Amino acid sequence: MTCIVQKYGGSSVADVSRLRKIARVVAGFKEQGIDIAVVVSAMGKTTDELVEMSRKISLKPPRREMDMLLSTGERITMAMLCMALHELGHDAVSLTGSQAGIITNDRHNDAQVIEVRPFRVQDEMAKGKIVIIGGFQGVSYKRDITTLGRGGSDTTAVALAAALNAERCEIYSDVDGVYSSDPSMVADAVHLPEVSYPVMQEMSTAGAKVLHASAVQFAKEKNIAIYARAAFSPGRETVIRRLSPGAIIGVQAVVSERQVERVRLHGSDIKVYFKQAVEFLEREQVPIKEVNVAESGVGNEASTASFIVSTKNIYDWGQIKTGLKKKLRQHIEFEADLAALSMIGEGLNRNNLTLLETVDFLTKNQIPLLGITTTSFRISLLVPKAFIEKSVELCHSQWVVKNA
């Protein structure tokens, strides 16, 4: 029998009316003789509300307890969806991440899936049941509840699809797939029918909201095609899968990340300061990127290091900054009110033309450039947050619209 895994995001299950619609869709698949496992996110803004509730108690809540708190959101959704399916005459069972066999490391708030043991899911499917799984959560090998980071329900779905040998993994949200830029920011954003794993992963890492970066990495490793669709508007979709090298060349997307800070270090013992800062952030489970270390000779005060922190989903960033300042004192500085603009596609850096032209026309439009980094599939520019919307519109018009 065919098996598929579906995932429904928070906007798709935001209220009882939408849950009933999703139940009818899921029931339709079951009535076609398809075994189906459904991964759900928390309803609407539930996770945000839980975070705000925690802040009324503590500015730096224990990460383990935050996982216990935040994992409740998905449990509400999965139980409600099961009830809706029962009302339609279908036998359904809800399972937490731990009950579904999602095993993670012991890193709270952004745990990594290390193994999936889907025995309970398979047993329930064998009984003819529709299985509803709470996304975003698992259990560590220490038997603690863990969460996978914002958007982690995508990873739950892809990991389960791999473990169940599913025919496909379908990700449903309020948009009909992946666009060349955020449609709410760029009016002429272009729908992308196909996206390769590397391009989608760079888009997710650089701020695109459609898919979680860890889910794309998991799909790439297991060679699972992901179908990104709109929950209530059937029609167009984006398929994320392995594409032949060179199948699509040039800038495919322009994405942005609004909440970033640059951390700068300076002093004669720059390696020591850098090590202290990174070790401190690792203990606080804060990832860094775009690392740059420049030594100017032994004992030279001009030696510097810098890196970027994406602060959006770090619950206690203010407290962490205070700790870093206390530890490194005059050797550390923070640059806030920054945003990152990224152009993503295959072959961008085979030569320097795209980078040179972008720097040129942004400069002509009086947009300050505060930093540049590149990878094989990405060119990222750091700009003041106040200029990010204009920067995205300019780059999208220059590289996507003109070449569409």
Side-chain angles (χ1 to χ4, degrees):
M1 185 178 289
T2 301
C3 171
I4 65 172
V5 175
Q6 296 183 333
K7 177 260 178 175
Y8 292 93
S11 59
S12 304
V13 293
D15 53 40
V16 171
S17 174
R18 293 189 178 194
L19 278 170
R20 285 178 172 151
K21 289 181 181 179
I22 296 300
R24 289 194 289 271
V25 172
V26 171
F29 280 94
K30 185 63 177 175
E31 288 161 5
Q32 296 174 40
I34 297 172
D35 277 339
I36 184 167
V38 180
V39 175
V40 292
S41 299
M43 295 175 66
K45 299 295 184 181
T46 299
T47 302
D48 291 334
E49 292 167 0
L50 291 171
V51 171
E52 287 304 312
M53 189 187 303
S54 73
R55 286 175 174 157
K56 295 178 181 178
I57 296 291
S58 171
L59 293 177
K60 190 173 174 57
R63 293 180 181 276
R64 180 185 182 279
E65 304 313 320
M66 283 298 292
D67 278 356
M68 293 294 284
L69 175 66
L70 297 183
S71 65
T72 63
E74 283 69 22
R75 297 185 186 204
I76 294 169
T77 312
M78 68 192 200
M80 295 281 283
L81 182 55
C82 273
M83 294 174 192
L85 285 163
H86 278 278
E87 288 297 306
L88 295 175
H90 286 275
D91 201 359
V93 60
S94 62
L95 300 177
T96 64
S98 59
Q99 290 172 323
I102 307 296
I103 313 300
T104 75
N105 60 10
D106 65 344
R107 189 179 176 96
H108 287 286
N109 298 172
D110 65 343
Q112 299 295 310
V113 176
I114 58 176
E115 186 181 2
V116 180
R117 302 171 183 170
F119 310 118
R120 178 76 184 277
V121 177
Q122 292 168 325
D123 287 347
E124 299 294 352
M125 280 184 166
K127 297 174 185 176
K129 296 181 181 181
I130 300 170
V131 184
I132 313 298
I133 299 112
F136 173 65
Q137 60 185 262
V139 62
S140 75
Y141 56 84
K142 294 181 178 179
R143 308 297 296 173
D144 276 335
I145 298 297
T146 55
T147 62
L148 310 181
R150 284 300 184 96
S153 293
D154 294 344
T155 304
T156 304
V158 175
L160 271 170
L164 294 170
N165 292 315
E167 181 180 282
R168 61 187 183 272
C169 182
E170 302 170 351
I171 305 291
Y172 290 91
S173 66
D174 56 355
V175 294
D176 56 352
V178 180
Y179 281 74
S180 58
S181 198
D182 184 347
S184 67
M185 183 186 298
V186 179
D188 52 3
V190 178
H191 182 268
L192 305 176
E194 286 187 313
V195 180
S196 69
Y197 293 128
V199 168
M200 190 69 246
Q201 193 164 16
E202 289 282 12
M203 289 177 66
S204 299
T205 302
K209 302 172 184 177
V210 179
L211 285 172
H212 195 258
S214 295
V216 182
Q217 176 64 27
F218 211 107
K220 180 172 69 173
E221 291 174 356
K222 304 296 183 180
N223 199 27
I224 298 169
I226 301 174
Y227 294 75
R229 300 168 174 168
F232 305 114
S233 302
R236 291 194 302 186
E237 64 184 12
T238 299
V239 185
I240 297 93
R241 62 186 172 193
R242 196 179 308 280
L243 300 178
S244 301
I248 305 174
I249 296 293
V251 178
Q252 284 183 263
V254 180
V255 302
S256 62
E257 190 175 10
R258 292 170 176 267
Q259 291 176 249
V260 300
E261 288 194 29
R262 179 158 55 188
V263 181
R264 289 189 179 275
L265 304 165
H266 53 84
S268 57
D269 293 324
I270 193 62
K271 288 182 179 177
V272 173
Y273 305 141
F274 178 74
K275 184 172 184 288
Q276 290 176 338
V278 174
E279 287 178 343
F280 183 94
L281 290 172
E282 179 61 21
R283 287 193 295 273
E284 297 291 338
Q285 299 183 190
V286 175
I288 66 173
K289 57 186 178 181
E290 321 295 7
V291 175
N292 186 5
V293 179
E295 289 190 276
S296 298
V298 178
N300 194 321
E301 288 289 336
S303 295
T304 63
S306 67
F307 52 82
I308 299 296
V309 176
S310 300
T311 62
K312 181 179 179 180
N313 295 322
I314 303 174
Y315 310 125
D316 50 359
W317 176 237
Q319 298 290 314
I320 292 170
K321 284 174 66 173
T322 299
L324 277 170
K325 290 175 182 177
K326 184 176 180 180
K327 187 173 188 64
L328 290 156
R329 300 183 184 280
Q330 74 272 19
H331 301 294
I332 191 167
E333 297 174 357
F334 296 88
E335 290 181 71
D337 296 321
L338 302 179
L341 156 76
S342 296
M343 293 168 294
I344 297 163
E346 186 174 337
L348 297 193
N349 293 309
R350 291 177 181 174
N351 57 49
N352 300 318
L353 296 179
T354 303
L355 174 60
L356 289 171
E357 289 184 37
T358 300
V359 170
D360 184 50
F361 73 76
L362 288 180
T363 301
K364 287 180 180 178
N365 282 276
Q366 299 181 322
I367 295 175
L369 299 180
L370 306 177
I372 301 172
T373 57
T374 65
T375 70
S376 298
F377 292 86
R378 173 171 55 87
I379 297 173
S380 291
L381 308 170
L382 204 62
V383 301
K385 188 183 293 186
F387 289 86
I388 189 60
E389 291 191 13
K390 182 179 179 182
S391 301
V392 170
E393 290 173 357
L394 284 169
C395 287
H396 188 269
S397 177
Q398 177 72 16
W399 295 115
V400 177
V401 175
K402 284 185 178 181
N403 297 322

